[in-house]
């Protein structure tokens, strides 16, 4: 069996997350609020929820009745035990995101709901750009310093590959301002989102690297209306899918309509002209 390439150093990721500070988890707050709104729209009571996350204290406080599960490669989820599974702010670190979603689906009862929120590809686009420019100028090369993040369309496709019914994918793009690039990188560490890439350069970076990146950031990405501050983009991607069940709506077979579209629109139907020889 082929194994997915190793993206994440799980030991480093756990270390970073252990140092996270609650006041820095404002994006988790936004994500949790959005998920709560989406659950209210479903208009259903969930009695056996589970949450897969790397920030257990935060999500346990928001959902005291949920079973909290660490986002390891193999999730500690019992098949068919839950009517709701939330994968919270962790899928972007998964070596095998499809495998994570398949495990979530197997943990659901028929017609159970899976909700996912994670960072999308537009997140930290500015920081990725200036770090690349600065490193190329100073060292003549590049090393992975910001995790590659998934595109919305790719994440939507993962739901179908994982076997979910009625899949939906959308995103929110947020702009946050910071005093400078150093403040941004300091807050990323406080979020537990430091560089945990397995392929990262383990050597100390050149002294001038981050100073040059900060200079480029201030020059190229000032905050609109606040020229002494910089802007940073955060894209939160939301996915939803249902465990298949016979009670769910299904698309009609082509040609099975019992009424004409023209009648519904109150118009006359005009036959298409035929070509000679047809």
């Amino acid at each position: 069996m082929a194994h997915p390439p190793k993206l994440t150093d799980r030991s480093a990721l756990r270390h970073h997350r252990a140092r996270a500070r609650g006041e820095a988890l404002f994006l988790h707050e936004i994500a949790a609020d959005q998920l709560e709104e989406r659950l209210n729209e479903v208009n259903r009571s969930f009695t056996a929820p589970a949450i897969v996350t790397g920030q257990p204290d935060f999500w346990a406080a928001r959902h005291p009745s949920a079973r909290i599960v660490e986002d390891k490669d193999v999730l500690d989820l019992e098949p068919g035990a839950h009517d709701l599974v939330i994968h919270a702010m962790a899928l972007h670190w998964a070596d095998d995101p499809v495998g994570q979603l398949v495990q979530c689906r197997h943990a659901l009862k028929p017609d159970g709901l899976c909700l996912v929120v994670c960072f999308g590809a537009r997140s930290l686009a500015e920081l990725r750009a200036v770090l690349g420019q600065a490193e190329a100028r100073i060292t003549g090369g590049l090393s992975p310093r910001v995790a590659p993040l998934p595109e919305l369309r790719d994440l939507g496709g993962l739901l179908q590959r994982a076997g979910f019914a009625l899949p939906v994918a959308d995103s929110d793009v947020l702009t946050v301002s910071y005093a400078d690039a150093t403040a941004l990188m300091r807050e990323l560490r406080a979020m537990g989102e430091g560089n945990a890439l397995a392929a990262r350069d383990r050597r100390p970076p050149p002294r001038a690297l981050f100073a040059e990146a900060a200079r480029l950031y201030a020059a190229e990405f000032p905050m609109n209306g606040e020229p002494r501050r910089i802007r940073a983009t955060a894209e939160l991607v939301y996915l939803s899918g249902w465990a298949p069940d016979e009670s769910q709506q299904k698309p009609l077979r082509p040609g099975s309509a019992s009424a004409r579209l023209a009648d519904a629109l109150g118009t006359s139907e005009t036959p298409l002209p035929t070509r000679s020889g047809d």
Side-chain angles (χ1 to χ4, degrees), residues 143-163:
S143 60
R145 298 190 181 277
V146 180
L149 296 169
E151 296 279 355
L152 173 62
R153 62 178 179 274
D154 296 330
L155 286 168
L158 296 185
L159 287 170
Q160 294 179 309
R161 289 177 58 190

Side-chain angles (χ1 to χ4, degrees), residues 64-239:
S65 64
R67 183 165 183 266
I68 304 298
V69 177
E70 184 182 354
D71 63 316
K72 300 186 293 186
D73 291 337
V74 179
L75 301 177
D76 185 18
L77 288 169
E78 181 182 345
H82 301 282
D83 54 5
L84 171 66
V85 174
I86 297 174
H87 204 296
M89 300 294 279
L91 192 66
H92 55 283
W93 283 116
D95 290 338
D96 181 13
V98 175
Q100 292 279 299
L101 294 177
V102 168
Q103 292 178 75
C104 291
R105 180 175 61 80
H106 286 165
L108 287 169
K109 301 174 182 180
D111 203 33
L113 174 63
C114 178
L115 294 176
V116 179
V117 57
C118 66
F119 289 115
R122 285 180 279 184
S123 299
L124 299 178
E126 303 90 350
L127 181 62
R128 184 179 290 107
V130 299
L131 283 174
Q133 291 178 54
E135 191 161 22
R137 290 181 183 182
I138 291 170
T139 70
L142 292 174
S143 60
R145 298 190 181 277
V146 180
L149 296 169
E151 296 279 355
L152 173 62
R153 62 178 179 274
D154 296 330
L155 286 168
L158 296 185
L159 287 170
Q160 294 179 309
R161 289 177 58 190
F164 283 103
L166 309 174
V168 176
D170 64 278
S171 71
D172 286 336
V173 179
L174 311 171
T175 302
V176 187
S177 74
Y178 291 92
D180 51 34
T182 300
L184 167 59
M185 289 185 278
R186 187 182 302 120
E187 183 147 87
L188 288 173
R189 288 193 294 270
M191 290 180 190
E193 295 290 340
N195 187 354
L197 292 169
R200 71 189 185 280
D201 190 344
R202 312 299 174 98
R203 298 170 299 180
R207 184 184 298 273
L209 172 62
F210 294 117
E212 175 65 4
R215 186 191 68 79
L216 290 168
Y217 208 132
E220 297 183 16
F221 301 108
M223 183 66 184
N224 295 338
E226 299 181 72
R228 294 184 180 276
R229 296 179 65 85
I230 62 167
R231 68 179 188 269
T233 300
E235 181 183 22
L236 295 179
V237 174
Y238 299 91
L239 311 176

